[in-house]
Amino acid sequence: METIKEILMQAENAAILGHIRPDGDCVGSCLGLKNYLAATAPQLKVQVYLEEFPEAFRFLKGADEVSHEPEDGNVYDLCIVLDASDRERLGAFDGYFAHAGRTVCIDHHITNTGFAQTTHVCPERSATSEVLFTLMEEDAIDEAAAECLYMGIVHDTGVFKHSNTSGETMRIAGRLMEKGIPFSRIIDSTFYEKTYRQNQLLGRALMESVLFMNGFCIFSAFRQKTMEFYQADPKDFDGIIDQLRVTKGVECAIFLYETASSEYKVSMRSNKIVDVSKIAAYFGGGGHVRAAGCTMAGSVYDVLNNLSRHIEAQLLEAGVL
Ligand code: 5GP
Ligand code: MN
């Protein structure tokens, strides 16, 4: 198989795509690769396409040149997809993938479907940004690229605390720090800082959360009416699921928000036992063992009933229920 480097050498222009509702790792890996290529393959014309992403990520170099609209009709020699585990996750940018001469996907999701011509998936890596680091020549990573990759790792590890954080993750983060990046500021301004609206939504989600299955599970849900009241955007929900997960005694946390009438976006997290990637994949989504998501139809109670059956089966099998 050709190496990624060999594939890059053959292209004159490339599109970089992430996934819908881009998160920190998605934006960090896309811009990290763009900055790296600007330094190492200056002959290659690169355009990043991503849906609108949180304002807090705008400080990254190249963020202002990202195209948020899929309508330019450009066709690329090469399409590089980062952090997206299946083709549906490309959303409105799928056309660039469909028409590209060559497609490559670099990812860390165990549920990656292998939809690109060349797929490089490392499920043991915390973030796509971490996978990219292992494919790059370290000396050619400049400060701008390092900021992007570091931010990606920070977000997917929940600031180096989720179970996906390995010794290697820490060593790579350390090497990125040595590029001179403002690591404290990146963590504070992109991860911990919340807008007033985000804090209000977090408060409301926690206040209305419900424990079930003997306290092993917790859920909270936003219906469209509530989202309209707060003028909330899904980007405002970052962090809610993680706060639910750390409720004492909880093994599995579920957060839902209504995306259309009787359609819910589901986020799931587990602490030690439940494999939520299996459950998400069963319902057409995907993710990781301890963090996964999908979209489901029905009322909040339909969705919870359907998910509960799978969670309960896993807890019974593990002998904890
Ligand atoms: P989150 O709950 O933060 O949205 O997502 C957790 C993890 O599950 C992420 O790695 C994300 O990529 C994955 N994920 C969330 N929703 C979906 C989905 O609808 N489809 C797939 N394939 N993965 C998802
Ligand atoms: Mn990721």
Side-chain angles (χ1 to χ4, degrees):
M1 201 179 79
E2 286 163 293
T3 62
I4 307 280
K5 198 171 173 183
E6 284 161 353
I7 293 171
L8 286 171
M9 299 281 282
Q10 296 162 24
E12 278 179 20
N13 52 50
I16 297 179
L17 311 184
H19 58 75
I20 51 173
R21 293 184 275 266
D23 58 11
D25 184 33
C26 176
V27 176
S29 57
C30 288
L31 291 175
L33 180 59
K34 184 194 152 94
N35 288 320
Y36 179 78
L37 291 175
T40 57
Q43 82 291 349
L44 187 70
K45 274 176 54 189
V46 178
Q47 178 62 50
V48 179
Y49 294 94
L50 289 171
E51 287 181 0
E52 292 283 349
F53 50 75
E55 194 56 40
F57 303 164
R58 290 250 154 235
F59 78 96
L60 294 172
K61 188 175 171 194
D64 291 337
E65 291 132 50
V66 172
S67 179
H68 301 298
E69 300 298 330
E71 277 112 32
D72 64 20
N74 292 350
V75 174
Y76 292 91
D77 300 337
L78 176 64
C79 177
I80 306 172
V81 177
L82 301 176
D83 204 40
S85 55
D86 63 53
R87 195 154 162 191
E88 286 68 51
R89 305 272 292 159
L90 304 183
F93 301 107
D94 184 81
Y96 298 113
F97 182 86
H99 298 120
R102 185 78 194 253
T103 60
V104 174
C105 178
I106 300 169
D107 187 22
H108 68 128
H109 290 94
I110 197 162
T111 53
N112 190 292
T113 58
F115 62 98
Q117 286 166 335
T118 305
T119 303
H120 183 80
V121 186
C122 304
E124 75 287 359
R125 295 279 173 192
S126 68
T128 298
S129 298
E130 185 183 325
V131 181
L132 278 178
F133 181 92
T134 67
L135 296 171
M136 292 173 171
E137 274 169 41
E138 191 170 339
D139 287 346
I141 300 175
D142 63 9
E143 193 180 333
E147 286 186 350
C148 299
L149 299 179
Y150 185 84
M151 189 189 87
I153 295 172
V154 161
H155 279 250
D156 264 19
T157 58
V159 195
F160 308 109
K161 77 174 191 292
H162 293 154
S163 59
N164 58 1
T165 313
S166 66
E168 262 291 283
T169 311
M170 302 306 280
R171 282 186 283 275
I172 288 171
R175 277 144 69 180
L176 292 170
M177 284 166 74
E178 285 164 358
K179 299 281 179 183
I181 59 171
F183 50 90
S184 305
R185 186 162 59 76
I186 292 174
I187 293 174
D188 277 344
S189 71
T190 71
F191 192 89
Y192 287 113
E193 191 177 283
K194 300 286 176 201
T195 61
Y196 175 61
R197 182 176 19 225
Q198 284 175 317
N199 276 335
Q200 283 201 307
L201 288 161
L202 171 65
R204 175 122 182 199
L206 297 179
M207 205 162 66
E208 295 188 348
S209 65
V210 178
L211 276 173
F212 64 107
M213 220 179 280
N214 295 336
F216 278 113
C217 296
I218 191 165
F219 87 89
S220 194
F222 281 139
R223 289 175 186 79
Q224 278 191 325
K225 233 176 20 191
T226 315
M227 291 166 60
E228 278 158 24
F229 176 79
Y230 290 100
Q231 295 183 309
D233 181 279
K235 293 197 286 285
D236 295 326
F237 303 149
D238 278 1
I240 291 178
I241 185 73
D242 288 310
Q243 194 58 44
L244 292 170
R245 178 183 66 84
V246 295
T247 310
K248 197 168 166 60
V250 160
E251 162 58 19
C252 189
I254 301 170
F255 174 69
L256 313 174
Y257 67 87
E258 200 173 14
T259 43
S261 179
S262 290
E263 183 190 271
Y264 285 87
K265 176 74 199 154
V266 178
S267 278
M268 286 182 282
R269 299 288 184 273
S270 64
N271 279 317
K272 282 202 295 268
I273 302 159
V274 176
D275 180 345
V276 287
S277 79
K278 264 196 198 155
I279 304 173
Y282 180 85
F283 291 107
H288 313 282
V289 176
R290 302 276 173 255
C294 55
T295 297
M296 292 171 72
S299 70
V300 168
Y301 296 99
D302 296 333
V303 170
L304 284 173
N305 272 332
N306 284 323
L307 294 173
S308 297
R309 264 188 286 127
H310 292 258
I311 297 168
E312 195 170 20
Q314 289 197 27
L315 290 175
L316 283 169
E317 199 181 328
V320 295
L321 267 188

